[in-house]
Amino acid sequence: MRKSAELRKAEIVAAVLDLADRIGPDRVTTGAAASAVGVSQAALFRHFPTKAAMWLAVADHVAGELAMEWERALAGTDGPIDRIKALVGAQLGQIVSTPALPMLLFSRELNVGNEDLRAAFHGLLMKFQGLIVAELARGQDAGFLRREVAPEDAAVLLTSLVQGMAIRWSLGARNFSLIGEGKRLLDVQLRLLAAKED
């Protein structure tokens, strides 16, 4: 039975992410992706006319997954500190379930080869950072977080914590719990940002 175009595209995107994890994003070719899915390169090009289009579909998939997890994190929590923890936990969880993400961010494909892909991932980072900024501002308004640190600066610290942990996890052959260690260090960072008690 022939698969629908949408199902086949989803299979190709999953294969690209798997290949990016196993061999690195810069070594993923349309031929390798086609082979991994069990179709000809010509068949792959019917779904994605260029390699750049294939990578943009990957970015769209990642964006959709992240947005869904961020929404779920925010819906399941109420206070700003809990919402920050939930957002960071969701981000770390997505990295664990899509381990190619940290490598993608530093790949030649993203940084040199594909301006649209770079813009897509930059947009994702800015969305995540914006969600964190909003919760940090709420935390300051509620008196939980110190006001002398701008929410935008604190958000950069927290998003950098996630990125730094992801890189450590990738380079360290994933030999520690990214979510556990990330949450532990987030708690440290939040204590440093907490309003001083009178």
Side-chain angles (χ1 to χ4, degrees):
M1 191 173 96
R2 285 190 68 188
K3 294 183 179 174
S4 72
E6 285 310 304
L7 184 58
R8 183 63 82 192
K9 282 181 178 181
E11 275 185 350
I12 293 167
V13 165
V16 169
L17 283 168
D18 179 60
L19 285 167
D21 180 37
R22 288 191 291 115
I23 65 175
D26 299 328
R27 296 178 67 197
V28 175
T29 62
T30 53
S35 178
V37 176
V39 298
S40 68
Q41 202 168 354
L44 183 139
F45 282 128
R46 280 197 293 277
H47 297 291
F48 301 110
T50 63
K51 185 179 176 187
M54 181 180 77
W55 277 112
L56 278 179
V58 169
D60 284 345
H61 168 77
V62 168
E65 293 292 307
L66 285 170
M68 198 167 54
E69 289 306 313
W70 297 337
E71 202 172 301
R72 190 175 294 150
L74 292 172
T77 50
D78 191 27
I81 304 303
D82 287 339
R83 286 164 71 95
I84 291 166
K85 289 180 179 183
L87 282 166
V88 170
Q91 192 80 344
L92 293 168
Q94 279 303 106
I95 293 166
V96 169
S97 66
T98 312
L101 278 179
M103 288 178 283
L104 254 175
L105 293 179
F106 296 100
S107 68
R108 178 176 173 76
E109 183 66 41
L110 184 136
N111 288 295
V112 178
N114 191 330
E115 184 60 40
D116 291 337
L117 185 65
R118 186 160 114 190
F121 275 93
H122 183 261
L124 278 176
L125 174 61
M126 291 299 100
K127 276 186 192 163
F128 179 64
Q129 205 161 295
L131 293 171
I132 298 286
V133 167
E135 296 308 324
L136 288 165
R138 284 182 65 217
Q140 287 180 336
D141 291 344
F144 301 137
L145 299 172
R146 55 176 65 199
R147 292 179 180 277
E148 64 268 27
V149 180
E152 294 77 10
D153 291 338
V156 170
L157 292 173
L158 297 184
T159 54
S160 297
L161 170 78
V162 171
Q163 293 162 352
M165 291 299 304
I167 293 165
R168 262 187 56 210
W169 181 70
S170 289
L171 293 177
R174 304 171 195 162
N175 62 0
F176 64 90
S177 166
L178 177 62
I179 295 171
E181 185 68 356
K183 286 182 173 180
R184 184 185 73 79
L185 289 173
L186 174 63
D187 283 340
V188 171
Q189 188 75 69
L190 288 171
R191 281 197 301 275
L192 294 172
L193 292 170
K196 292 186 177 73
E197 293 180 18
D198 293 330

